[in-house]
Amino acid sequence: MEDFKDIGVTLDVVLSIPAKTDAEAYERLDNMDALKLLKLAVEQCEFRELENETRH
């Protein structure tokens, strides 16, 4: 049985946040918890690599 090894990964993510101004967008961003940020990021991702995978 294999052990699990933790590896730190840093990703650049661009989020689209509905707001009238940049200041409002940053304020909304500051008020989001980590789970909300992650959900928003995943919802906005384009998973192009999944389109190219063969299914077995």
Side-chain angles (χ1 to χ4, degrees):
M1 185 179 209
E2 292 183 90
D3 291 335
F4 288 92
K5 304 298 178 190
D6 293 334
I7 299 173
V9 178
T10 302
L11 302 172
D12 292 326
V13 177
V14 176
L15 299 176
S16 295
I17 298 175
K20 292 182 181 179
T21 65
D22 286 350
E24 182 183 352
Y26 279 106
E27 184 177 334
R28 288 182 178 189
L29 179 71
D30 288 341
N31 291 328
M32 291 182 193
D33 61 11
L35 182 57
K36 176 66 177 169
L37 288 171
L38 288 170
K39 285 181 179 180
L40 186 60
V42 169
E43 289 170 2
Q44 295 179 7
C45 284
E46 295 180 23
F47 292 102
R48 291 187 188 125
E49 61 275 0
L50 292 178
E51 295 171 4
N52 299 327
E53 288 184 4
T54 56
R55 290 170 173 60
H56 299 285

Coordinates of all heavy atoms in Angstrom, one line a residue:
M1 N 0.8 -1.2 0.0 CA 0.0 0.0 0.0 C 0.9 1.2 0.0 O 1.9 1.3 0.7 CB -0.9 0.0 1.2 CG -1.9 1.1 1.3 SD -2.8 0.8 2.8 CE -4.3 1.5 2.4
E2 N 0.5 2.2 -0.8 CA 1.3 3.4 -0.9 C 0.9 4.4 0.2 O -0.2 4.5 0.6 CB 1.1 4.1 -2.3 CG 1.6 3.3 -3.4 CD 1.4 4.0 -4.7 OE1 2.3 4.8 -5.1 OE2 0.3 3.8 -5.4
D3 N 1.9 5.2 0.6 CA 1.7 6.3 1.5 C 1.2 7.5 0.7 O 1.5 7.6 -0.5 CB 2.9 6.7 2.3 CG 3.4 5.6 3.2 OD1 2.5 4.8 3.7 OD2 4.6 5.5 3.6
F4 N 0.6 8.5 1.3 CA 0.2 9.7 0.7 C 1.3 10.8 1.1 O 1.7 10.9 2.2 CB -1.2 10.2 1.2 CG -2.3 9.4 0.6 CD1 -2.8 8.3 1.3 CD2 -2.8 9.7 -0.6 CE1 -3.8 7.5 0.7 CE2 -3.8 8.9 -1.2 CZ -4.3 7.8 -0.5
K5 N 1.7 11.5 0.1 CA 2.7 12.6 0.3 C 2.0 13.9 0.0 O 1.4 14.1 -1.1 CB 3.9 12.4 -0.6 CG 4.6 11.1 -0.4 CD 5.1 10.9 1.0 CE 5.7 9.6 1.2 NZ 6.0 9.3 2.6
D6 N 2.1 14.9 0.8 CA 1.5 16.2 0.6 C 2.5 17.1 -0.3 O 3.7 17.1 0.0 CB 1.3 17.0 1.9 CG 0.2 16.3 2.8 OD1 -0.6 15.7 2.2 OD2 0.3 16.5 4.0
I7 N 1.9 17.7 -1.3 CA 2.7 18.5 -2.2 C 1.9 19.8 -2.3 O 0.8 19.9 -2.6 CB 2.8 17.9 -3.6 CG1 3.5 16.5 -3.5 CG2 3.5 18.8 -4.5 CD1 3.5 15.8 -4.8
G8 N 2.6 20.9 -2.0 CA 2.0 22.3 -2.1 C 2.0 22.7 -3.6 O 3.0 22.5 -4.3
V9 N 0.8 23.2 -4.0 CA 0.7 23.7 -5.4 C 0.1 25.1 -5.3 O -0.9 25.4 -4.6 CB -0.3 22.7 -6.1 CG1 -0.5 23.2 -7.5 CG2 0.2 21.3 -6.2
T10 N 0.6 26.0 -6.1 CA 0.1 27.3 -6.2 C -0.4 27.5 -7.6 O 0.2 27.2 -8.6 CB 1.3 28.3 -6.0 OG1 1.8 28.1 -4.7 CG2 0.8 29.7 -6.1
L11 N -1.7 28.0 -7.7 CA -2.3 28.2 -9.0 C -2.7 29.6 -9.1 O -3.2 30.2 -8.2 CB -3.6 27.3 -9.1 CG -3.4 25.8 -8.9 CD1 -4.8 25.1 -8.8 CD2 -2.6 25.2 -10.1
D12 N -2.6 30.2 -10.3 CA -3.1 31.5 -10.6 C -4.5 31.3 -11.1 O -4.8 30.5 -12.0 CB -2.3 32.2 -11.7 CG -0.9 32.5 -11.3 OD1 -0.7 32.9 -10.1 OD2 0.0 32.5 -12.1
V13 N -5.4 32.0 -10.5 CA -6.9 31.9 -10.8 C -7.4 33.3 -11.0 O -7.2 34.2 -10.3 CB -7.6 31.2 -9.6 CG1 -9.1 31.2 -9.9 CG2 -7.1 29.8 -9.4
V14 N -8.2 33.4 -12.1 CA -8.9 34.7 -12.3 C -10.4 34.4 -12.1 O -11.0 33.5 -12.8 CB -8.6 35.2 -13.8 CG1 -9.5 36.4 -14.1 CG2 -7.2 35.4 -14.0
L15 N -11.0 35.2 -11.2 CA -12.4 35.0 -10.9 C -13.2 36.2 -11.5 O -12.8 37.3 -11.5 CB -12.6 35.0 -9.4 CG -12.0 33.9 -8.6 CD1 -12.2 34.0 -7.2 CD2 -12.5 32.5 -9.1
S16 N -14.4 35.9 -12.1 CA -15.3 36.9 -12.5 C -16.3 37.1 -11.4 O -17.1 36.2 -11.1 CB -16.0 36.5 -13.8 OG -15.0 36.4 -14.8
I17 N -16.3 38.3 -10.8 CA -17.2 38.6 -9.7 C -18.1 39.7 -10.2 O -17.7 40.8 -10.6 CB -16.4 39.0 -8.5 CG1 -15.5 37.9 -8.0 CG2 -17.3 39.5 -7.3 CD1 -14.6 38.2 -6.9
P18 N -19.4 39.5 -10.1 CA -20.4 40.5 -10.6 C -20.3 41.7 -9.6 O -20.5 41.6 -8.4 CB -21.7 39.8 -10.5 CG -21.6 38.7 -9.6 CD -20.1 38.3 -9.7
A19 N -20.0 42.9 -10.2 CA -19.9 44.1 -9.4 C -19.9 45.3 -10.3 O -19.6 45.2 -11.5 CB -18.7 44.1 -8.5
K20 N -20.3 46.5 -9.8 CA -20.3 47.7 -10.7 C -19.0 48.3 -10.8 O -18.6 49.0 -11.7 CB -21.3 48.7 -10.1 CG -22.8 48.2 -10.2 CD -23.8 49.2 -9.7 CE -25.2 48.7 -9.9 NZ -26.2 49.6 -9.4
T21 N -18.1 48.1 -9.7 CA -16.8 48.7 -9.7 C -15.8 47.7 -9.3 O -16.1 46.7 -8.7 CB -16.7 49.9 -8.8 OG1 -17.0 49.5 -7.4 CG2 -17.8 51.0 -9.1
D22 N -14.5 48.0 -9.5 CA -13.4 47.1 -9.1 C -13.4 47.1 -7.5 O -13.3 46.0 -6.9 CB -12.1 47.6 -9.5 CG -11.8 47.3 -11.0 OD1 -12.6 46.6 -11.6 OD2 -10.8 47.9 -11.5
A23 N -13.7 48.2 -6.9 CA -13.7 48.3 -5.4 C -14.8 47.4 -4.9 O -14.5 46.7 -3.9 CB -13.9 49.7 -5.0
E24 N -15.9 47.4 -5.5 CA -17.0 46.5 -5.0 C -16.7 45.1 -5.2 O -16.9 44.2 -4.4 CB -18.3 46.8 -5.8 CG -19.5 46.0 -5.4 CD -20.8 46.3 -6.2 OE1 -20.8 47.3 -7.0 OE2 -21.7 45.6 -6.0
A25 N -16.0 44.7 -6.4 CA -15.6 43.3 -6.6 C -14.6 42.9 -5.6 O -14.7 41.8 -5.0 CB -15.1 43.2 -8.0
Y26 N -13.7 43.7 -5.2 CA -12.7 43.3 -4.2 C -13.3 43.2 -2.9 O -12.9 42.4 -2.1 CB -11.5 44.4 -4.2 CG -10.5 44.1 -5.3 CD1 -10.4 44.9 -6.4 CD2 -9.6 43.0 -5.2 CE1 -9.5 44.7 -7.4 CE2 -8.7 42.7 -6.2 CZ -8.6 43.6 -7.3 OH -7.7 43.3 -8.3
E27 N -14.3 44.1 -2.6 CA -15.0 44.0 -1.3 C -15.7 42.6 -1.2 O -15.7 42.0 -0.2 CB -15.9 45.1 -1.1 CG -16.6 45.2 0.2 CD -17.5 46.4 0.4 OE1 -17.3 47.4 -0.2 OE2 -18.5 46.3 1.2
R28 N -16.4 42.3 -2.3 CA -17.1 41.0 -2.3 C -16.1 39.8 -2.1 O -16.4 38.9 -1.4 CB -17.9 40.8 -3.5 CG -19.1 41.7 -3.6 CD -19.9 41.5 -4.8 NE -21.1 42.4 -4.8 CZ -22.1 42.3 -5.6 NH1 -22.1 41.4 -6.6 NH2 -23.1 43.1 -5.5
L29 N -15.0 39.9 -2.8 CA -14.0 38.9 -2.7 C -13.5 38.8 -1.3 O -13.3 37.7 -0.8 CB -12.8 39.3 -3.7 CG -11.6 38.3 -3.7 CD1 -12.0 37.0 -4.4 CD2 -10.4 38.9 -4.4
D30 N -13.2 39.9 -0.6 CA -12.7 39.9 0.7 C -13.7 39.2 1.7 O -13.3 38.7 2.7 CB -12.4 41.3 1.2 CG -11.1 41.8 0.6 OD1 -10.3 41.0 0.1 OD2 -11.0 43.1 0.6
N31 N -15.0 39.3 1.4 CA -16.0 38.7 2.2 C -16.3 37.3 2.0 O -17.1 36.7 2.7 CB -17.3 39.5 2.1 CG -17.2 40.9 2.7 OD1 -16.5 41.2 3.6 ND2 -17.9 41.9 2.1
M32 N -15.7 36.7 1.0 CA -15.9 35.2 0.7 C -15.0 34.4 1.5 O -13.8 34.7 1.7 CB -15.7 34.9 -0.8 CG -16.7 35.5 -1.7 SD -16.3 35.1 -3.4 CE -17.4 36.2 -4.3
D33 N -15.5 33.2 2.0 CA -14.6 32.3 2.7 C -13.9 31.4 1.7 O -14.2 31.5 0.5 CB -15.4 31.5 3.7 CG -16.5 30.6 3.1 OD1 -16.6 30.5 1.9 OD2 -17.3 30.1 3.9
A34 N -13.0 30.6 2.1 CA -12.2 29.8 1.2 C -13.0 28.8 0.4 O -12.8 28.6 -0.8 CB -11.1 29.0 2.0
L35 N -14.1 28.2 1.0 CA -14.9 27.3 0.3 C -15.7 28.0 -0.9 O -15.7 27.5 -2.0 CB -15.9 26.6 1.2 CG -16.8 25.5 0.6 CD1 -16.0 24.4 -0.1 CD2 -17.7 25.0 1.7
K36 N -16.2 29.2 -0.6 CA -16.9 29.9 -1.6 C -16.0 30.3 -2.8 O -16.3 30.2 -3.9 CB -17.5 31.2 -1.0 CG -18.2 32.1 -2.0 CD -19.5 31.4 -2.6 CE -20.2 32.4 -3.6 NZ -21.2 31.8 -4.4
L37 N -14.7 30.7 -2.4 CA -13.8 31.0 -3.5 C -13.4 29.8 -4.3 O -13.4 29.9 -5.6 CB -12.5 31.6 -2.8 CG -12.6 32.9 -2.3 CD1 -11.3 33.3 -1.5 CD2 -12.8 34.0 -3.3
L38 N -13.3 28.7 -3.7 CA -12.9 27.5 -4.5 C -14.1 27.0 -5.3 O -13.9 26.7 -6.5 CB -12.6 26.3 -3.5 CG -11.2 26.5 -2.8 CD1 -11.1 25.4 -1.7 CD2 -10.1 26.3 -3.8
K39 N -15.3 27.1 -4.8 CA -16.5 26.8 -5.6 C -16.6 27.7 -6.8 O -16.9 27.2 -8.0 CB -17.8 26.8 -4.8 CG -17.9 25.7 -3.8 CD -19.2 25.9 -3.0 CE -19.5 24.8 -2.1 NZ -20.7 24.9 -1.3
L40 N -16.4 29.0 -6.6 CA -16.5 29.9 -7.7 C -15.4 29.7 -8.8 O -15.7 29.7 -10.0 CB -16.4 31.3 -7.2 CG -16.6 32.5 -8.1 CD1 -18.0 32.5 -8.7 CD2 -16.4 33.8 -7.4
A41 N -14.2 29.4 -8.3 CA -13.2 29.1 -9.2 C -13.4 27.8 -10.1 O -13.3 27.8 -11.3 CB -11.8 28.9 -8.5
V42 N -13.9 26.8 -9.4 CA -14.2 25.5 -10.2 C -15.4 25.7 -11.1 O -15.3 25.2 -12.3 CB -14.5 24.4 -9.2 CG1 -15.1 23.2 -9.9 CG2 -13.3 24.0 -8.4
E43 N -16.4 26.5 -10.7 CA -17.5 26.7 -11.6 C -17.1 27.5 -12.9 O -17.7 27.3 -14.0 CB -18.6 27.6 -10.9 CG -19.3 26.9 -9.8 CD -20.2 27.8 -9.0 OE1 -20.2 29.0 -9.3 OE2 -20.9 27.3 -8.1
Q44 N -16.1 28.3 -12.8 CA -15.6 29.1 -13.9 C -14.5 28.5 -14.7 O -14.1 29.0 -15.8 CB -15.2 30.5 -13.4 CG -16.4 31.3 -12.8 CD -16.0 32.6 -12.3 OE1 -14.9 33.1 -12.5 NE2 -16.9 33.3 -11.6
C45 N -14.0 27.4 -14.3 CA -12.9 26.7 -15.0 C -13.4 26.1 -16.3 O -14.6 25.6 -16.4 CB -12.3 25.6 -14.2 SG -11.2 26.2 -12.9
E46 N -12.6 26.1 -17.3 CA -12.8 25.4 -18.5 C -12.0 24.1 -18.5 O -10.7 24.2 -18.5 CB -12.4 26.2 -19.8 CG -13.3 27.5 -19.9 CD -12.9 28.3 -21.1 OE1 -12.3 27.7 -22.0 OE2 -13.1 29.5 -21.1
F47 N -12.6 23.0 -18.5 CA -11.9 21.7 -18.4 C -11.7 21.2 -19.8 O -12.3 20.2 -20.1 CB -12.6 20.8 -17.5 CG -12.7 21.2 -16.0 CD1 -13.8 21.8 -15.5 CD2 -11.5 21.0 -15.2 CE1 -13.8 22.2 -14.2 CE2 -11.6 21.4 -13.9 CZ -12.7 22.0 -13.4
R48 N -10.8 21.8 -20.5 CA -10.6 21.4 -21.9 C -10.0 20.0 -22.0 O -10.2 19.2 -22.9 CB -9.7 22.4 -22.6 CG -10.3 23.7 -22.8 CD -9.5 24.6 -23.7 NE -10.1 25.9 -23.7 CZ -9.5 27.0 -23.4 NH1 -8.2 27.0 -23.0 NH2 -10.1 28.2 -23.4
E49 N -9.1 19.7 -21.0 CA -8.5 18.4 -21.0 C -9.4 17.2 -20.9 O -9.2 16.1 -21.4 CB -7.4 18.3 -20.0 CG -7.9 18.4 -18.5 CD -8.0 19.8 -18.0 OE1 -7.7 20.7 -18.8 OE2 -8.4 20.0 -16.9
L50 N -10.6 17.5 -20.3 CA -11.6 16.4 -20.2 C -12.2 16.1 -21.5 O -12.7 15.0 -21.8 CB -12.7 16.8 -19.2 CG -12.3 16.9 -17.7 CD1 -13.4 17.4 -16.9 CD2 -11.7 15.6 -17.2
E51 N -12.3 17.1 -22.4 CA -12.9 16.8 -23.8 C -12.0 15.9 -24.6 O -12.5 15.2 -25.5 CB -13.0 18.2 -24.5 CG -14.0 19.1 -23.8 CD -14.0 20.5 -24.4 OE1 -13.2 20.7 -25.4 OE2 -14.7 21.4 -23.9
N52 N -10.7 15.9 -24.3 CA -9.7 15.1 -25.1 C -9.5 13.8 -24.6 O -8.8 12.9 -25.2 CB -8.4 15.9 -25.2 CG -8.6 17.2 -25.9 OD1 -9.5 17.4 -26.8 ND2 -7.9 18.2 -25.5
E53 N -9.9 13.5 -23.4 CA -9.7 12.1 -22.8 C -10.5 11.1 -23.4 O -11.7 11.3 -23.8 CB -10.0 12.2 -21.3 CG -9.0 12.9 -20.5 CD -9.3 12.9 -19.0 OE1 -10.2 12.1 -18.6 OE2 -8.5 13.5 -18.2
T54 N -9.9 9.9 -23.6 CA -10.7 8.8 -24.1 C -11.4 8.1 -22.9 O -10.8 8.0 -21.8 CB -9.8 7.8 -24.8 OG1 -8.8 7.3 -23.9 CG2 -9.3 8.4 -26.1
R55 N -12.6 7.6 -23.1 CA -13.3 7.0 -22.0 C -13.2 5.4 -22.2 O -13.3 5.0 -23.3 CB -14.7 7.4 -22.0 CG -14.9 8.8 -21.5 CD -16.3 9.3 -21.7 NE -16.6 10.6 -21.2 CZ -16.0 11.8 -21.5 NH1 -15.0 11.8 -22.4 NH2 -16.4 12.9 -21.0
H56 N -12.8 4.8 -21.1 CA -12.7 3.3 -21.2 C -13.8 2.6 -20.5 O -14.4 3.0 -19.6 CB -11.4 2.9 -20.5 CG -10.2 3.5 -21.2 ND1 -9.7 3.0 -22.4 CD2 -9.4 4.5 -20.8 CE1 -8.6 3.7 -22.7 NE2 -8.4 4.6 -21.8

